[in-house]
Amino acid sequence: MTQTLKTKVLIIGAGTGGYVAGIRCGQLGLETVLVDASPGLGGTCLNVGCIPSKAIIHAAGKFETVAKAAGDGTLGITASTPAIDLSKTVEWKDGVVKKLNAGVAALLKKAKVKVIKGWADFSDAKTCTVKTDDGDIRITAEHVILATGSEPVELPFLPFGGDVISSTEALSLPEVPKKLVVVGGGYIGLELGIAFRKLGAEVAIVEMAERILPLYDKALTDPVAKWLEKHGVQLLLGARAGGFGDGKLNVTDKDGNPMQLDADKVLVTVGRRARTQGWGLENMGVAMNGPFVKIDNRCATSMKNVWAIGDLTGEPMLAHKGSAQGEVVAEIIAGHDRVFDPTTIAAVCFTEPEIVSAGLGPDDVKGRDDVIQAVFPFAAIGRALAIEAGEDGGFVRVIASKSDHRLLGVQAVGQHVSELSNSFAQMLEMGAVLEDVAGTIHVHPTLGEAFHEASLRALGHAIHI
Protein backbone atom coordinates (compact mmCIF):
# COMPACT_ATOMS: atom_id res chain seq x y z
CA MET A 1 0.00 0.00 0.00
CA THR A 2 1.33 3.43 -0.98
CA GLN A 3 1.44 6.11 1.71
CA THR A 4 0.64 9.70 0.76
CA LEU A 5 2.35 12.81 2.06
CA LYS A 6 1.88 16.53 1.41
CA THR A 7 4.48 19.14 2.29
CA LYS A 8 5.38 22.77 1.72
CA VAL A 9 8.90 22.01 0.47
CA LEU A 10 10.27 18.81 -1.05
CA ILE A 11 14.03 18.53 -1.54
CA ILE A 12 15.58 15.80 -3.68
CA GLY A 13 19.18 15.07 -2.70
CA ALA A 14 20.96 15.47 0.64
CA GLY A 15 24.29 16.74 -0.64
CA THR A 16 25.82 20.04 0.39
CA GLY A 17 23.14 21.89 -1.56
CA GLY A 18 20.12 19.84 -0.49
CA TYR A 19 20.82 19.43 3.21
CA VAL A 20 21.76 23.10 3.64
CA ALA A 21 18.53 24.08 1.88
CA GLY A 22 16.67 21.73 4.23
CA ILE A 23 18.23 23.17 7.38
CA ARG A 24 17.55 26.74 6.26
CA CYS A 25 13.95 25.87 5.33
CA GLY A 26 13.49 24.39 8.79
CA GLN A 27 14.98 27.45 10.46
CA LEU A 28 12.48 29.58 8.54
CA GLY A 29 9.53 27.48 9.72
CA LEU A 30 8.81 25.80 6.39
CA GLU A 31 7.44 22.24 6.50
CA THR A 32 10.14 20.30 4.67
CA VAL A 33 10.72 16.76 3.42
CA LEU A 34 14.18 15.71 2.23
CA VAL A 35 14.54 12.58 0.07
CA ASP A 36 17.90 10.92 -0.48
CA ALA A 37 18.93 7.43 -1.59
CA SER A 38 22.55 7.50 -0.44
CA PRO A 39 23.71 5.36 2.50
CA GLY A 40 24.85 8.48 4.35
CA LEU A 41 23.65 12.08 4.35
CA GLY A 42 25.95 14.70 2.84
CA GLY A 43 26.05 13.62 -0.78
CA THR A 44 29.15 13.14 -2.91
CA CYS A 45 31.17 15.79 -1.08
CA LEU A 46 30.86 14.30 2.37
CA ASN A 47 30.74 10.59 1.49
CA VAL A 48 32.93 10.01 -1.57
CA GLY A 49 34.34 13.40 -2.56
CA CYS A 50 35.70 16.48 -0.81
CA ILE A 51 35.94 15.20 2.76
CA PRO A 52 37.23 11.63 2.30
CA SER A 53 39.66 12.70 -0.44
CA LYS A 54 41.14 15.40 1.80
CA ALA A 55 41.41 12.82 4.59
CA ILE A 56 43.38 10.47 2.33
CA ILE A 57 45.48 13.39 1.03
CA HIS A 58 46.23 14.37 4.65
CA ALA A 59 47.25 10.81 5.54
CA ALA A 60 49.47 10.65 2.43
CA GLY A 61 51.16 13.87 3.49
CA LYS A 62 51.83 12.47 6.96
CA PHE A 63 53.28 9.29 5.42
CA GLU A 64 55.50 11.35 3.12
CA THR A 65 56.79 13.37 6.07
CA VAL A 66 57.77 10.23 7.96
CA ALA A 67 59.31 8.74 4.81
CA LYS A 68 61.49 11.86 4.42
CA ALA A 69 62.77 11.32 7.95
CA ALA A 70 64.01 7.82 7.08
CA GLY A 71 67.64 7.47 6.06
CA ASP A 72 69.51 10.78 6.38
CA GLY A 73 66.45 12.42 7.92
CA THR A 74 64.89 15.86 7.44
CA LEU A 75 65.00 18.99 9.61
CA GLY A 76 67.22 17.07 11.99
CA ILE A 77 64.53 14.42 12.45
CA THR A 78 65.28 10.78 11.71
CA ALA A 79 62.95 7.81 11.74
CA SER A 80 62.84 4.22 10.59
CA THR A 81 61.32 3.43 7.19
CA PRO A 82 57.53 3.77 7.51
CA ALA A 83 54.87 1.33 6.41
CA ILE A 84 51.19 1.91 5.75
CA ASP A 85 48.15 -0.30 6.23
CA LEU A 86 45.79 1.45 3.83
CA SER A 87 42.81 -0.52 5.12
CA LYS A 88 43.32 1.10 8.52
CA THR A 89 43.70 4.52 6.90
CA VAL A 90 40.42 3.94 5.05
CA GLU A 91 38.82 2.83 8.31
CA TRP A 92 39.91 6.12 9.91
CA LYS A 93 38.59 8.04 6.89
CA ASP A 94 35.26 6.22 7.15
CA GLY A 95 35.09 7.23 10.80
CA VAL A 96 35.45 10.89 9.84
CA VAL A 97 32.67 10.50 7.26
CA LYS A 98 30.33 8.73 9.70
CA LYS A 99 30.86 11.45 12.30
CA LEU A 100 29.89 14.08 9.74
CA ASN A 101 26.93 11.97 8.53
CA ALA A 102 25.63 11.91 12.09
CA GLY A 103 26.20 15.64 12.42
CA VAL A 104 24.13 16.40 9.31
CA ALA A 105 21.35 14.08 10.52
CA ALA A 106 21.29 15.85 13.89
CA LEU A 107 21.13 19.29 12.28
CA LEU A 108 18.24 18.24 10.02
CA LYS A 109 16.39 16.74 13.00
CA LYS A 110 16.91 19.94 14.97
CA ALA A 111 15.46 21.90 12.03
CA LYS A 112 12.43 19.51 12.03
CA VAL A 113 13.15 18.31 8.50
CA LYS A 114 11.60 14.92 7.69
CA VAL A 115 14.25 12.75 6.02
CA ILE A 116 13.12 9.85 3.83
CA LYS A 117 15.71 7.33 2.62
CA GLY A 118 14.80 6.15 -0.83
CA TRP A 119 14.82 6.82 -4.56
CA ALA A 120 12.39 9.45 -5.90
CA ASP A 121 10.62 9.13 -9.26
CA PHE A 122 8.64 12.15 -10.48
CA SER A 123 5.39 11.73 -12.40
CA ASP A 124 4.94 15.50 -12.76
CA ALA A 125 6.66 18.66 -11.52
CA LYS A 126 5.24 18.52 -7.97
CA THR A 127 4.62 14.80 -7.42
CA CYS A 128 6.98 11.92 -6.88
CA THR A 129 6.89 8.37 -5.58
CA VAL A 130 9.70 7.33 -3.27
CA LYS A 131 10.64 3.67 -3.03
CA THR A 132 11.78 2.91 0.51
CA ASP A 133 12.51 -0.26 2.47
CA ASP A 134 9.09 0.13 4.11
CA GLY A 135 7.14 0.57 0.87
CA ASP A 136 6.26 3.38 -1.51
CA ILE A 137 5.48 6.94 -0.42
CA ARG A 138 3.70 9.35 -2.76
CA ILE A 139 4.72 12.95 -2.04
CA THR A 140 3.15 16.14 -3.34
CA ALA A 141 4.67 19.53 -2.60
CA GLU A 142 4.05 23.21 -3.12
CA HIS A 143 7.75 23.79 -3.79
CA VAL A 144 10.34 21.34 -5.11
CA ILE A 145 14.11 21.87 -4.80
CA LEU A 146 16.17 19.65 -7.10
CA ALA A 147 19.64 18.95 -5.71
CA THR A 148 20.54 15.61 -7.29
CA GLY A 149 24.21 16.47 -7.78
CA SER A 150 26.58 14.81 -10.23
CA GLU A 151 28.32 11.51 -10.94
CA PRO A 152 31.65 10.45 -12.52
CA VAL A 153 31.77 10.29 -16.31
CA GLU A 154 32.35 6.74 -17.54
CA LEU A 155 34.31 6.12 -20.73
CA PRO A 156 32.62 3.52 -22.99
CA PHE A 157 35.93 1.77 -23.67
CA LEU A 158 36.92 1.87 -19.97
CA PRO A 159 33.75 0.93 -18.09
CA PHE A 160 33.97 1.01 -14.32
CA GLY A 161 34.42 -2.38 -12.71
CA GLY A 162 37.21 -4.62 -11.48
CA ASP A 163 40.53 -2.80 -11.73
CA VAL A 164 39.02 0.18 -13.61
CA ILE A 165 37.85 2.50 -10.86
CA SER A 166 36.35 5.93 -10.24
CA SER A 167 37.36 8.27 -7.44
CA THR A 168 34.74 6.58 -5.25
CA GLU A 169 36.53 3.23 -5.31
CA ALA A 170 39.96 4.88 -5.12
CA LEU A 171 39.03 6.30 -1.71
CA SER A 172 38.29 2.82 -0.34
CA LEU A 173 41.12 0.68 -1.72
CA PRO A 174 42.34 -1.88 0.85
CA GLU A 175 45.97 -1.48 -0.20
CA VAL A 176 48.18 0.87 -2.16
CA PRO A 177 48.40 -0.30 -5.79
CA LYS A 178 51.95 -0.90 -6.97
CA LYS A 179 51.22 0.70 -10.34
CA LEU A 180 48.40 3.25 -10.75
CA VAL A 181 47.47 4.85 -14.07
CA VAL A 182 45.25 7.93 -13.86
CA VAL A 183 43.22 8.79 -16.96
CA GLY A 184 42.52 12.52 -16.81
CA GLY A 185 44.82 15.29 -15.60
CA GLY A 186 42.15 17.45 -13.98
CA TYR A 187 41.93 18.27 -10.30
CA ILE A 188 40.41 14.96 -9.14
CA GLY A 189 42.94 12.81 -10.98
CA LEU A 190 45.89 14.90 -9.86
CA GLU A 191 44.78 15.15 -6.23
CA LEU A 192 44.43 11.38 -5.94
CA GLY A 193 47.38 10.57 -8.18
CA ILE A 194 49.69 12.74 -6.05
CA ALA A 195 48.31 11.22 -2.84
CA PHE A 196 48.98 7.67 -4.05
CA ARG A 197 52.45 8.65 -5.22
CA LYS A 198 53.18 9.91 -1.69
CA LEU A 199 51.91 6.57 -0.39
CA GLY A 200 54.44 4.73 -2.55
CA ALA A 201 52.57 3.83 -5.73
CA GLU A 202 54.18 4.19 -9.15
CA VAL A 203 51.90 6.67 -10.90
CA ALA A 204 51.34 7.57 -14.55
CA ILE A 205 48.90 10.25 -15.72
CA VAL A 206 47.32 10.22 -19.19
CA GLU A 207 45.86 13.59 -20.25
CA MET A 208 44.40 14.57 -23.64
CA ALA A 209 45.28 18.27 -23.27
CA GLU A 210 48.76 19.64 -23.80
CA ARG A 211 49.19 20.33 -20.09
CA ILE A 212 47.76 19.34 -16.74
CA LEU A 213 44.87 21.26 -15.14
CA PRO A 214 43.97 23.02 -18.40
CA LEU A 215 41.32 25.15 -16.65
CA TYR A 216 44.05 26.99 -14.72
CA ASP A 217 46.71 29.22 -16.28
CA LYS A 218 50.16 27.75 -16.88
CA ALA A 219 51.94 29.78 -14.20
CA LEU A 220 49.66 28.26 -11.56
CA THR A 221 50.12 24.70 -12.80
CA ASP A 222 53.90 24.78 -13.42
CA PRO A 223 54.81 24.17 -9.74
CA VAL A 224 52.51 21.12 -9.75
CA ALA A 225 54.13 19.81 -12.96
CA LYS A 226 57.55 20.28 -11.36
CA TRP A 227 56.45 18.27 -8.30
CA LEU A 228 55.26 15.45 -10.57
CA GLU A 229 58.57 15.42 -12.44
CA LYS A 230 60.64 15.56 -9.25
CA HIS A 231 58.73 12.65 -7.72
CA GLY A 232 58.87 10.38 -10.75
CA VAL A 233 55.28 10.60 -11.92
CA GLN A 234 55.06 9.66 -15.60
CA LEU A 235 53.14 12.36 -17.42
CA LEU A 236 51.71 11.63 -20.88
CA LEU A 237 50.24 14.84 -22.32
CA GLY A 238 48.30 15.05 -25.58
CA ALA A 239 47.68 11.33 -25.14
CA ARG A 240 44.55 9.20 -25.39
CA ALA A 241 43.69 6.18 -23.31
CA GLY A 242 42.26 3.06 -24.91
CA GLY A 243 41.08 -0.28 -23.57
CA PHE A 244 42.43 -2.13 -20.53
CA GLY A 245 43.17 -5.82 -20.16
CA ASP A 246 45.69 -8.24 -18.66
CA GLY A 247 47.10 -5.49 -16.46
CA LYS A 248 47.92 -3.20 -19.37
CA LEU A 249 46.28 0.05 -20.50
CA ASN A 250 46.47 0.87 -24.20
CA VAL A 251 47.51 4.46 -24.85
CA THR A 252 48.12 6.54 -27.97
CA ASP A 253 50.80 9.16 -27.32
CA LYS A 254 50.84 12.74 -28.66
CA ASP A 255 52.65 11.61 -31.82
CA GLY A 256 50.08 8.93 -32.56
CA ASN A 257 52.26 6.04 -31.45
CA PRO A 258 50.56 3.14 -29.64
CA MET A 259 51.97 2.07 -26.28
CA GLN A 260 50.97 0.10 -23.21
CA LEU A 261 51.20 1.05 -19.55
CA ASP A 262 51.35 -1.56 -16.81
CA ALA A 263 48.60 -0.93 -14.27
CA ASP A 264 47.27 -2.69 -11.20
CA LYS A 265 44.48 -0.10 -11.09
CA VAL A 266 43.24 2.39 -13.69
CA LEU A 267 41.65 5.46 -12.13
CA VAL A 268 39.33 7.22 -14.59
CA THR A 269 38.78 10.90 -13.72
CA VAL A 270 37.69 12.57 -16.94
CA GLY A 271 35.01 14.72 -15.37
CA ARG A 272 31.60 14.66 -13.75
CA ARG A 273 28.13 15.02 -15.24
CA ALA A 274 24.87 16.22 -13.76
CA ARG A 275 22.69 13.42 -12.37
CA THR A 276 19.64 13.92 -14.59
CA GLN A 277 18.66 10.31 -15.32
CA GLY A 278 16.55 7.81 -13.43
CA TRP A 279 14.32 10.04 -11.29
CA GLY A 280 11.75 11.42 -13.75
CA LEU A 281 13.24 14.80 -14.65
CA GLU A 282 11.80 14.34 -18.14
CA ASN A 283 8.28 14.38 -16.62
CA MET A 284 8.74 17.71 -14.85
CA GLY A 285 8.63 20.04 -17.84
CA VAL A 286 11.68 22.08 -16.88
CA ALA A 287 13.86 23.73 -19.52
CA MET A 288 17.43 22.51 -19.96
CA ASN A 289 20.66 24.36 -20.63
CA GLY A 290 22.55 21.68 -22.50
CA PRO A 291 23.14 18.80 -20.03
CA PHE A 292 22.10 20.96 -17.06
CA VAL A 293 18.82 22.25 -15.65
CA LYS A 294 18.32 25.86 -16.69
CA ILE A 295 17.87 28.36 -13.86
CA ASP A 296 17.68 32.12 -13.42
CA ASN A 297 19.45 34.23 -10.80
CA ARG A 298 16.97 33.04 -8.19
CA CYS A 299 17.73 29.36 -8.97
CA ALA A 300 14.20 29.09 -10.37
CA THR A 301 13.55 26.67 -13.23
CA SER A 302 11.06 27.27 -16.04
CA MET A 303 8.38 25.48 -13.98
CA LYS A 304 6.75 27.59 -11.27
CA ASN A 305 7.94 26.75 -7.74
CA VAL A 306 10.47 24.20 -8.98
CA TRP A 307 14.01 25.19 -8.06
CA ALA A 308 17.40 23.66 -8.87
CA ILE A 309 20.74 24.04 -7.11
CA GLY A 310 24.28 22.67 -7.13
CA ASP A 311 25.95 20.50 -9.77
CA LEU A 312 22.63 19.90 -11.51
CA THR A 313 22.72 23.54 -12.65
CA GLY A 314 26.18 23.48 -14.23
CA GLU A 315 29.67 24.81 -13.65
CA PRO A 316 31.34 25.46 -11.39
CA MET A 317 30.56 22.09 -9.79
CA LEU A 318 31.63 23.11 -6.30
CA ALA A 319 30.09 22.12 -2.98
CA HIS A 320 30.13 25.66 -1.61
CA LYS A 321 28.20 26.93 -4.62
CA GLY A 322 25.40 24.43 -3.96
CA SER A 323 25.25 25.34 -0.28
CA ALA A 324 24.99 29.05 -1.04
CA GLN A 325 22.25 28.41 -3.61
CA GLY A 326 20.38 26.24 -1.10
CA GLU A 327 20.25 29.08 1.41
CA VAL A 328 19.06 31.53 -1.23
CA VAL A 329 16.21 29.28 -2.41
CA ALA A 330 15.02 28.55 1.13
CA GLU A 331 14.84 32.26 1.88
CA ILE A 332 13.01 33.02 -1.38
CA ILE A 333 10.40 30.35 -0.58
CA ALA A 334 10.00 31.96 2.86
CA GLY A 335 9.23 35.30 1.19
CA HIS A 336 12.61 37.01 1.33
CA ASP A 337 13.92 39.05 -1.59
CA ARG A 338 17.07 37.17 -2.59
CA VAL A 339 19.11 36.45 -5.72
CA PHE A 340 22.15 34.28 -6.30
CA ASP A 341 24.65 36.73 -7.74
CA PRO A 342 28.09 36.21 -6.19
CA THR A 343 31.02 38.33 -7.32
CA THR A 344 33.18 35.21 -7.28
CA ILE A 345 33.16 31.55 -6.33
CA ALA A 346 36.70 30.65 -5.39
CA ALA A 347 38.03 27.27 -6.51
CA VAL A 348 40.75 25.21 -4.84
CA CYS A 349 42.82 22.36 -6.21
CA PHE A 350 44.32 20.24 -3.42
CA THR A 351 47.37 19.16 -5.38
CA GLU A 352 51.01 19.46 -4.33
CA PRO A 353 51.33 22.37 -4.10
CA GLU A 354 47.74 23.61 -3.74
CA ILE A 355 46.12 26.06 -6.17
CA VAL A 356 43.52 28.76 -5.47
CA SER A 357 41.74 30.91 -8.03
CA ALA A 358 39.15 33.60 -7.41
CA GLY A 359 37.78 36.09 -9.91
CA LEU A 360 39.50 36.87 -13.20
CA GLY A 361 42.76 35.22 -14.17
CA PRO A 362 45.48 36.38 -16.59
CA ASP A 363 43.87 34.53 -19.51
CA ASP A 364 40.63 36.44 -18.86
CA VAL A 365 42.38 39.83 -19.14
CA LYS A 366 44.84 38.93 -21.90
CA GLY A 367 45.48 41.87 -24.20
CA ARG A 368 43.87 44.40 -21.89
CA ASP A 369 45.91 47.48 -21.00
CA ASP A 370 43.53 48.68 -18.28
CA VAL A 371 44.62 46.19 -15.64
CA ILE A 372 47.51 45.81 -13.20
CA GLN A 373 49.02 42.42 -12.40
CA ALA A 374 51.50 41.77 -9.63
CA VAL A 375 53.04 38.56 -8.29
CA PHE A 376 54.74 37.99 -4.95
CA PRO A 377 56.71 34.75 -4.37
CA PHE A 378 56.38 32.68 -1.21
CA ALA A 379 60.18 32.33 -1.31
CA ALA A 380 60.27 35.86 0.20
CA ILE A 381 57.84 35.00 3.03
CA GLY A 382 59.37 33.89 6.32
CA ARG A 383 56.51 31.61 7.37
CA ALA A 384 56.64 29.81 4.01
CA LEU A 385 60.35 29.08 4.39
CA ALA A 386 59.88 27.96 8.00
CA ILE A 387 57.39 25.28 6.94
CA GLU A 388 59.26 24.28 3.76
CA ALA A 389 56.66 25.96 1.57
CA GLY A 390 58.76 28.61 -0.11
CA GLU A 391 60.94 26.67 -2.51
CA ASP A 392 58.36 25.14 -4.86
CA GLY A 393 57.78 28.20 -7.05
CA GLY A 394 54.64 29.23 -5.21
CA PHE A 395 53.25 32.76 -5.31
CA VAL A 396 50.25 35.03 -4.85
CA ARG A 397 49.03 37.06 -7.83
CA VAL A 398 46.64 40.01 -7.80
CA ILE A 399 44.85 41.46 -10.80
CA ALA A 400 43.22 44.88 -10.45
CA SER A 401 41.71 47.67 -12.51
CA LYS A 402 44.32 50.28 -13.44
CA SER A 403 41.87 53.17 -13.16
CA ASP A 404 40.36 52.60 -9.69
CA HIS A 405 42.52 49.74 -8.33
CA ARG A 406 39.44 47.54 -7.83
CA LEU A 407 40.46 43.92 -7.32
CA LEU A 408 39.39 41.76 -10.26
CA GLY A 409 41.05 38.46 -9.36
CA VAL A 410 43.45 36.78 -6.96
CA GLN A 411 45.30 33.49 -7.50
CA ALA A 412 47.85 31.53 -5.53
CA VAL A 413 49.87 28.34 -5.76
CA GLY A 414 51.79 26.91 -2.84
CA GLN A 415 51.55 24.67 0.19
CA HIS A 416 48.48 25.34 2.37
CA VAL A 417 47.17 28.17 0.14
CA SER A 418 43.67 26.67 0.28
CA GLU A 419 43.38 28.45 3.64
CA LEU A 420 43.82 31.81 1.85
CA SER A 421 40.85 31.20 -0.45
CA ASN A 422 38.26 32.77 1.84
CA SER A 423 40.33 35.92 2.26
CA PHE A 424 40.59 36.23 -1.53
CA ALA A 425 36.86 35.68 -2.02
CA GLN A 426 35.93 38.06 0.78
CA MET A 427 38.00 40.92 -0.64
CA LEU A 428 36.50 40.42 -4.10
CA GLU A 429 32.94 40.11 -2.75
CA MET A 430 33.32 43.35 -0.78
CA GLY A 431 34.60 45.21 -3.82
CA ALA A 432 37.99 45.89 -2.23
CA VAL A 433 40.66 47.97 -3.91
CA LEU A 434 44.39 47.37 -3.69
CA GLU A 435 44.66 50.01 -0.99
CA ASP A 436 42.18 48.03 1.16
CA VAL A 437 44.44 44.99 1.13
CA ALA A 438 47.57 47.11 1.54
CA GLY A 439 45.98 48.98 4.44
CA THR A 440 44.98 45.81 6.31
CA ILE A 441 47.69 44.85 8.79
CA HIS A 442 48.41 41.21 8.01
CA VAL A 443 49.60 38.93 10.81
CA HIS A 444 53.28 37.99 10.84
CA PRO A 445 54.45 35.34 10.27
CA THR A 446 51.74 33.91 8.00
CA LEU A 447 51.34 32.91 4.37
CA GLY A 448 48.69 35.62 4.02
CA GLU A 449 51.45 38.23 4.05
CA ALA A 450 52.08 37.30 0.41
CA PHE A 451 48.59 38.66 -0.45
CA HIS A 452 49.50 41.90 1.31
CA GLU A 453 52.87 42.14 -0.44
CA ALA A 454 51.40 41.33 -3.87
CA SER A 455 48.95 44.21 -3.43
CA LEU A 456 51.75 46.52 -2.31
CA ARG A 457 53.74 45.45 -5.36
CA ALA A 458 50.80 46.27 -7.63
CA LEU A 459 50.84 49.74 -6.08
CA GLY A 460 54.57 49.99 -6.73
CA HIS A 461 55.99 49.69 -3.24
CA ALA A 462 56.37 46.10 -2.05
CA ILE A 463 58.51 45.92 1.07
CA HIS A 464 60.13 42.48 0.99
CA ILE A 465 61.20 42.18 -2.62
Side-chain angles (χ1 to χ4, degrees), residues 18-61:
Y19 88 73
V20 168
I23 291 169
R24 190 68 185 116
C25 283
Q27 290 174 341
L28 293 164
L30 302 171
E31 182 190 24
T32 304
V33 173
L34 175 61
V35 176
D36 188 83
S38 304
L41 298 172
T44 294
C45 175
L46 197 158
N47 290 283
V48 293
C50 318
I51 300 302
S53 67
K54 302 315 165 283
I56 295 296
I57 288 168
H58 173 70

Side-chain angles (χ1 to χ4, degrees), residues 79 89 125 221 285 288 297-298 340 362 429:
T89 306
T221 62
M288 301 295 289
N297 65 356
R298 298 165 71 243
F340 181 71
E429 197 66 42

Side-chain angles (χ1 to χ4, degrees), residues 68 227 351-354 378 384 387-392 394 413-418 420 447:
K68 280 183 179 178
W227 189 96
T351 44
E352 186 66 61
E354 295 175 347
F378 280 116
I387 60 172
E388 300 182 284
E391 301 299 331
D392 56 11
V413 57
Q415 291 182 46
H416 311 297
V417 295
S418 57
L420 302 181
L447 297 179

Side-chain angles (χ1 to χ4, degrees), residues 126-207:
K126 306 291 174 57
T127 309
C128 75
T129 300
V130 181
K131 295 189 178 300
T132 76
D133 292 340
D134 300 319
D136 293 353
I137 304 175
R138 187 172 183 270
I139 306 174
T140 59
E142 185 179 334
H143 292 266
V144 173
I145 303 175
L146 302 176
T148 57
S150 62
E151 58 196 0
V153 171
E154 186 176 44
L155 295 172
F157 50 87
L158 277 176
F160 294 131
D163 292 327
V164 178
I165 60 176
S166 73
S167 56
T168 298
E169 292 78 37
L171 294 169
S172 294
L173 289 175
E175 57 186 19
V176 178
K178 185 178 179 184
K179 294 179 182 291
L180 174 69
V181 177
V182 180
V183 178
Y187 74 96
I188 297 174
L190 280 173
E191 286 182 3
L192 293 177
I194 288 171
F196 278 103
R197 181 68 191 112
K198 288 182 178 181
L199 292 171
E202 294 178 32
V203 177
I205 297 172
V206 179
E207 167 59 42

Side-chain angles (χ1 to χ4, degrees), residues 204-380:
I205 297 172
V206 179
E207 167 59 42
M208 284 178 58
E210 294 302 317
R211 61 182 182 85
I212 57 170
L213 298 168
L215 295 180
Y216 293 96
D217 67 85
K218 188 174 182 297
L220 286 177
T221 62
D222 275 349
V224 180
K226 288 175 184 175
W227 189 96
L228 296 174
E229 181 181 3
K230 180 180 178 181
H231 291 82
V233 175
Q234 185 179 3
L235 195 55
L236 296 168
L237 299 174
R240 293 176 178 271
F244 174 74
D246 297 324
K248 295 182 182 297
L249 177 70
N250 293 307
V251 175
T252 304
D253 71 14
K254 63 180 180 180
D255 298 319
N257 301 314
M259 60 185 298
Q260 290 188 321
L261 296 176
D262 292 332
D264 297 307
K265 299 289 181 184
V266 176
L267 171 58
V268 179
T269 58
V270 293
R272 297 184 65 85
R273 62 183 171 211
R275 188 176 281 116
T276 57
Q277 302 297 314
W279 49 272
L281 176 64
E282 63 278 6
N283 300 323
M284 299 184 73
V286 300
M288 301 295 289
N289 179 21
F292 305 108
V293 172
K294 185 177 182 180
I295 57 170
D296 63 14
N297 65 356
R298 298 165 71 243
C299 300
T301 71
S302 58
M303 179 64 68
K304 184 179 179 182
N305 291 348
V306 175
W307 316 82
I309 61 176
D311 291 359
L312 186 63
T313 65
E315 297 289 353
M317 288 188 178
L318 298 171
H320 41 290
K321 180 194 80 170
S323 296
Q325 288 177 320
E327 289 188 63
V328 167
V329 170
E331 292 175 10
I332 290 172
I333 293 172
H336 299 194
D337 184 15
R338 291 293 311 276
V339 295
F340 181 71
D341 186 26
T343 298
T344 186
I345 303 175
V348 176
C349 189
F350 291 86
T351 44
E352 186 66 61
E354 295 175 347
I355 296 173
V356 175
S357 183
L360 299 182
D363 293 341
D364 300 312
V365 297
K366 199 170 185 178
R368 288 175 55 174
D369 58 5
D370 61 339
V371 297
I372 307 168
Q373 294 190 50
V375 171
F376 194 87
F378 280 116

